[in-house]
Amino acid sequence: MDKKSELNNAIKDAMKSGDEIRKRTLRMVMAAIKQVEVDRRISLDEAGVLSILQKEIKLRKEALEEAKKANRPDLAADAQAEINVLNAYLPQGLSAGELRALVEAAIAETGAASPVDMGKVMKALLPKIAGRAPGDQVSALVRELLQK
């Protein structure tokens, strides 16, 4: 079953069980997916759906930080609950060692030698790690290894 179908079924289950946080969160994600599909006039594949899930988690993490700064524990709790719901639909993340091994393999595969070649490495690497590691973490590791 693809992720979009899984998310739609989860919305139905949340509606049946009366889980308002799950229902609201998943509806927002499906709206974001639909918006991208309409804007680009395409149907998103698994990697596209996973990237939107990661983007939504990132937005909620930012909201969580802002709520903590504003001393709003109610908003922080809502954001954390939404993050927990969304994390359930992402594949198992890569450990630091696994990510480093994939980055080193991509660097060797592309023959990259300096930070100028970062684009080549990222292009080869991103399809392999889709949805299993945050993009900013990956790019920082690639930059670090290329500067050695």
Side-chain angles (χ1 to χ4, degrees):
M1 177 186 310
D2 68 330
K3 279 290 177 200
K4 284 196 293 189
S5 300
E6 184 181 342
L7 291 169
N8 276 323
N9 289 339
I11 290 172
K12 292 175 190 172
D13 292 342
M15 288 168 60
K16 289 177 186 175
S17 68
D19 188 347
E20 286 299 316
I21 292 174
R22 238 174 99 220
K23 179 179 77 169
R24 181 185 68 224
T25 304
L26 295 175
R27 278 185 170 171
M28 284 190 279
V29 168
M30 287 305 295
I33 291 169
K34 192 68 163 169
Q35 185 66 47
V36 169
E37 288 180 335
V38 168
D39 288 348
R40 296 184 188 168
R41 295 188 177 119
I42 58 169
S43 180
L44 288 175
D45 58 353
E46 287 293 306
V49 172
L50 290 176
S51 74
I52 289 178
L53 277 170
Q54 284 184 323
K55 180 180 174 189
E56 292 294 318
I57 288 173
K58 182 179 178 187
L59 289 172
R60 280 157 182 83
K61 284 182 179 177
E62 291 169 359
L64 178 64
E65 292 302 315
E66 291 297 319
K68 286 180 180 178
K69 284 180 188 174
N71 197 22
R72 293 287 307 267
D74 55 331
L75 295 178
D78 284 348
Q80 186 60 53
E82 291 176 0
I83 290 169
N84 294 341
V85 168
L86 293 175
N87 276 331
Y89 297 96
L90 284 178
Q92 186 65 32
L94 293 171
S95 70
E98 292 171 325
L99 183 58
R100 182 173 282 277
L102 283 172
V103 169
E104 288 171 350
I107 289 172
E109 176 186 316
T110 59
S114 68
V116 175
D117 300 322
M118 188 169 167
K120 289 186 221 175
V121 175
M122 293 297 286
K123 186 176 180 180
L125 187 61
L126 286 178
K128 296 175 186 173
I129 60 160
R132 300 187 308 167
D136 55 344
Q137 181 183 3
V138 174
S139 91
L141 184 59
V142 169
R143 187 175 299 110
E144 174 191 324
L145 290 176
L146 287 176
Q147 287 176 347
K148 287 184 177 179

